[in-house]
């Protein structure tokens, strides 16, 4: 199972880099040259800064927290650290692109003529979403043959979801955005439904405290992933297109969703692994006739 996971991770990384490079170079459709107020520009600027800080802090936490877990749960933290590290890098690129795209002119920020490259976000998702799915399936503790098949199906759905969402993302036409957004929603619903149902099925096999955390993980999954289509539609809902309000709402919404889906999700994965570590040690101690150390968890 370890070899399969390693092979899968490398395959995802290679495919992600190739597709991500293609996306990053495909931003041939120039974004509308908007004029932003000081508050609009500053809100996005600060949101990107907060997201970079959250991803960086998450990386340090996931790396340092591995020592608190049993060896079999540490790979989940490696994946969590990898997810936020990749996201932190791409948010630096997004942040720099935002700064290059607008410049202060009097009391407003005007487009410099350098298009804002939002393809970095999709390049990030191509790498991180499959890894997030690996994390989620790992929590289910399914048989290796079942888990492997589920990972491949979910990963394929993730690639289709991202690839079909991108044409709508870069389009300034509302109809085109809605068309591709609808197509992208089909694999999105499949992924969310599968994870939500499978997490629910796994509850009966988990220790009591892990059951509570797993229920919270389901709620976080629904809340964070459910926020992406809302953010995707904000340019349509706000002023009916890629207006200043729409672009600001889109960037802020995606950033919030990424923090929840990556840092928040990884943190809950850690606490689930921590509880499972304590449970396993308590069972082992009981079998060997030793005092149980359950409840004394390192944080």
């Amino acid at each position: 199972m370890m070899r399969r996971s390693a092979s899968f991770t490398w395959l995802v990384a290679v495919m992600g880099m190739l597709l991500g490079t293609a996306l990053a170079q495909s931003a041939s459709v120039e974004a509308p040259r908007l004029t932003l107020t000081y508050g609009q520009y500053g809100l996005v600027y600060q949101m990107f800064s907060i997201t970079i800080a959250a991803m960086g802090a998450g990386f340090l936490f996931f790396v340092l927290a591995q020592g608190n877990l049993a060896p079999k749960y540490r790979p989940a933290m490696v994946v969590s650290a990898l997810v936020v590290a990749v996201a932190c890098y791409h948010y630096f690129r997004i942040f720099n692109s935002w700064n290059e795209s607008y410049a202060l002119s009097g009391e407003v920020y005007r487009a410099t003529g350098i298009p804002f490259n939002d393809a970095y976000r999709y390049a990030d998702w191509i790498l991180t979403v499959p890894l997030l799915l690996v994390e989620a399936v790992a929590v289910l503790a399914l048989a290796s043959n079942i888990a492997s098949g589920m990972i491949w199906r979910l990963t394929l759905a993730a690639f289709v979801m991202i690839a079909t969402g991108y044409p709508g993302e870069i389009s300034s036409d509302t109809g085109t955005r809605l068309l591709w957004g609808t197509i992208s929603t089909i694999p999105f619903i499949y992924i969310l439904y599968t994870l939500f149902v499978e997490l629910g099925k796994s509850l009966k096999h988990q220790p009591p405290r892990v059951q509570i955390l797993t229920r919270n993980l389901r709620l976080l999954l629904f809340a964070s992933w459910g926020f992406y289509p809302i953010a995707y539609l904000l340019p349509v809902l706000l002023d009916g297109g890629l207006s200043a309000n729409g672009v600001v709402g889109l960037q802020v919404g995606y950033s919030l969703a990424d923090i929840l889906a990556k840092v928040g999700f990884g943190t809950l994965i850690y606490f689930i692994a921590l509880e499972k570590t304590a449970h396993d040690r308590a069972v082992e101690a009981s079998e060997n006739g030793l005092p149980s150390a359950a409840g004394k968890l390192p944080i």
Side-chain angles (χ1 to χ4, degrees):
M1 179 63 181
M2 186 66 68
R3 290 182 179 178
R4 288 183 180 179
S5 298
S7 299
F8 174 81
T9 302
W10 278 109
L11 181 59
V12 168
V14 172
M15 291 179 64
M17 283 189 290
L18 292 175
L19 291 173
T21 301
L23 283 179
Q25 299 299 324
S26 66
S28 58
V29 179
E30 184 171 336
R33 298 193 176 189
L34 303 173
T35 298
L36 306 177
T37 65
Y38 186 84
Q40 289 172 327
Y41 176 86
L43 177 60
V44 176
Y45 181 98
Q46 294 300 331
M47 197 65 237
F48 288 160
S49 297
I50 291 170
T51 307
I52 291 170
M55 298 299 175
F59 174 77
L60 291 175
F61 175 76
F62 297 143
V63 169
L64 296 175
Q66 292 181 50
N68 297 331
L69 305 178
K72 66 179 180 180
Y73 299 120
R74 291 173 188 170
M77 288 297 95
V78 173
V79 175
S80 296
L82 184 59
V83 166
V84 294
V86 171
C88 189
Y89 163 76
H90 280 108
Y91 266 96
F92 268 116
R93 300 301 299 268
I94 294 171
F95 179 79
N96 290 336
S97 181
W98 181 259
N99 288 338
E100 293 172 353
S101 298
Y102 295 95
L104 185 62
S105 176
E107 297 183 354
V108 297
Y109 280 85
R110 300 187 186 279
T112 61
I114 302 174
F116 173 59
N117 191 352
D118 210 19
Y120 289 125
R121 191 183 300 281
Y122 276 74
D124 172 73
W125 289 342
I126 282 176
L127 283 167
T128 57
V129 171
L131 293 174
L132 286 170
L133 297 176
V134 171
E135 280 188 83
V137 174
V139 173
L140 300 176
L142 301 173
S144 59
N145 59 325
I146 297 176
S148 178
M150 183 180 296
I151 288 173
W152 283 109
R153 292 195 303 273
L154 292 176
T155 299
L156 177 60
F159 280 128
V160 173
M161 174 185 69
I162 295 168
T164 56
Y166 183 67
E169 187 73 73
I170 63 175
S171 175
S172 58
D173 178 69
T174 299
T176 302
R177 189 178 191 86
L178 291 176
L179 173 63
W180 286 106
T182 301
I183 295 173
S184 178
T185 300
I186 297 172
F188 171 83
I189 292 175
Y190 169 77
I191 294 171
L192 195 59
Y193 174 79
T194 300
L195 290 179
F196 199 82
V197 170
E198 292 299 332
L199 282 170
K201 290 180 181 179
S202 72
L203 287 175
K204 60 182 178 181
H205 305 296
Q206 308 292 351
R209 293 176 68 178
V210 174
Q211 290 182 16
I212 296 174
L213 289 171
T214 304
R215 291 192 185 99
N216 292 339
L217 190 70
R218 292 175 73 194
L219 294 176
L220 178 62
L221 183 71
F222 184 78
S224 59
W225 279 60
F227 204 75
Y228 286 105
I230 296 175
Y232 185 90
L233 288 174
L234 280 178
V236 177
L237 299 176
L238 297 174
D239 302 331
L242 289 178
S243 62
N245 287 331
V247 168
V248 170
L250 182 73
Q251 298 305 323
V252 172
Y254 278 158
S255 299
L256 288 172
D258 275 345
I259 292 173
L260 289 174
K262 293 170 183 175
V263 181
F265 189 83
T267 302
L268 265 181
I269 292 290
Y270 165 73
F271 281 110
I272 289 174
L274 193 64
E275 287 292 347
K276 286 189 173 184
T277 296
H279 179 265
D280 292 350
R281 289 172 179 170
V283 170
E284 183 180 357
S286 177
E287 291 175 348
N288 295 327
L290 301 174
S292 174
K296 299 179 180 179
L297 296 173
I299 301 299

